[in-house]
Amino acid sequence: MEKDSTVVLATEKYGSNESWEYIVKDGVMERKRNGSECGSGGNSIIGVFKSVFLPQGYPESVSDDYLHYQFWDTVQAFSSSLSGTLATQASLRGVGVGNPEATVAAATVTWLLRDGTGMLGRILFAWQKGSQLDSEAKKWRLFADVLNDIAMFMEILAPNIPSCFTLIVCTAGIFKSIVGVAGGATRAALTVHQARRDNMADISAKDGSQETLVNLAGLLVSLILIPLVTDKPVLTVILFFLFTILHLFANYKAVRSVVMATFNEARLSIVLHQYLRDGQILSPLEGNQKEPVFLELRKKVPVRLGVRLQDLVQNKDEFNLALKQTSMPYLLGVKNGCVRVCLGQEASTHDEIRAACQALCLGSVLHHATPMSGVPEKLLMLQSQSPWEMVFKSYNLMDQIFNPFLKGVEAAGWQTNRTLLNWDEWRVEWKTKTS
C-alpha cells in the first residue's frame, strides 16, 4: 500500500476571512483553501461585496462597534433620503415649478438667497462651535440630524405660507449649512475612532460607497413615491413624519452604539463619580452607555479648561491663593459660579486628566446645595463656605485618589495617552513665589 505523499509547505491567511495551504502532492505544488469548498460561489459573492463596501482587513481593521454603527447609519441615511425627496418637491413647488405665473428671475433670486445665507451660516457655526465637534461628537452628530429634519419640515411647510416663503427657505438653508458642518466634522471624528490601522481614508471612502448605495436605493423608492404624493400635502406631511421618526430613532441607536475609549468631559465625569461612590471602574462600554447624547442648553456648573490667567485671578493676593498648597503644573479656581483651570506649559496628558477630574469634583460640590444628596461621600470633604478653601481641599483629594484611579482606568481599557477634553490653547508660565 502506497503512502500519502502530500506535504504542506506553507499556510497563508487573508485577514480572518480566508485561509490557504501550499501543498506538494506527487511532486506538484498546489494552492488549496482550508475548510469546506461547499458554497464557494456564495462565499465569492459575499467576498466581493465586502471588498467593495467594507474597509480592507474588516473586521480587524476597524473598531468593534463599526458594524452596529454602520447598520443604523444606513437606516437613517435611507429614511433621510426619502424625507429629502419630499422636501425638495415642496421647495420646487414653492419657487414656482408648475406655476405659469412664476418667473425664472424670482426663482433664481430665492435660490441664491438661500445658498448665500447658508454659506454665512456655515462659516459662523464653524467659527463658534468647531472646537467642540471632536469632544462632543455624539451629541453634535445627533443634533445635526435633528436640525436637518427641522429644516426639511420647514421646506415642506414653506409653499403653504407664500408671504414668508423666502424667509423660511433661507432659515432652512442656514440650518442645513450647520448640518453640513456638524455632520461632516463629527463623521470625521468617528472615522478616527473606528480606524485601527491608520486607515481613516479607506474607512471614509467605503462609508461614501455605502452612502451612495443607500441613496441609490432611496432614489428608486422615490421614483415610486413622488407620483403618489404629488398635489397631496396631507399625505406628504404624514409620510414625512413617519420617515422622520425612523430617521431619529436610527440616529439615536447609531450614536448609542459608538464606544469611545478616550475621555471627554462627560465620560470622565461618569467614570470618576462611579469610582468615588463605590471604587468601581467602569469599562469603556459601560461608560459610553451612561453618556448623554443630547446637547445641554446650559450647564449648571460649567467647567472651563485652559483659560487665561486673568480669567482665574484678578490681583496678586488671588494669585498667591491659587499657588497655595500645590506644585502641580496647573492652577485652579472658582469664579462667578464657574470652575476654571489655567494650564502650565509643561503639563502632560495625565496632568490634564487630573486637572479635569479636580474641576469636575468641584463642579459637583458647587452644583448640589446642602445637604449633599446624590454626591459621593468622598466629596463631602470639599464642603466649605470659601471657594479657595474648597480648591485647597480638592488638591488633597486628588493626592489621595488620582493615581489609583488612573491605574484603574488604564487597566479597564481607557486610553490616557490622549483625550477629548476640549482644552483651550492658553498656556501659562508662572513664578512659584511672589513677594
Side-chain angles (χ1 to χ4, degrees), residues 12-20 31 33 47:
E12 65 181 4
K13 293 183 178 180
Y14 188 83
S16 60
N17 300 318
E18 298 181 18
S19 178
W20 296 78
R31 184 172 181 263
R33 182 194 293 269

Side-chain angles (χ1 to χ4, degrees), residues 312 318-333 341-342 344 346 351 354-355 358 388 391-396 398-399 430-433:
L312 186 64
E318 286 190 341
F319 182 60
N320 286 331
L321 285 172
L323 290 174
K324 186 179 178 181
Q325 295 187 358
T326 179
S327 60
M328 300 302 299
Y330 61 85
L331 302 178
L332 189 143
V341 182
C342 188
E346 71 279 13
D351 293 327
R354 172 173 170 144
Q358 190 170 341
W388 284 112
V391 171
F392 304 152
K393 291 180 178 180
S394 69
Y395 281 111
N396 295 331
M398 286 297 108
D399 289 339
W430 57 81
K431 296 180 180 180
T432 56
K433 293 182 181 180

Side-chain angles (χ1 to χ4, degrees), residues 259-261 271 280-289 409 412-414:
V259 180
M260 290 186 168
V271 176
Q280 177 188 0
I281 298 290
L282 298 177
S283 67
L285 176 60
E286 294 168 328
N288 278 264
Q289 287 175 342
V409 296
W414 291 95

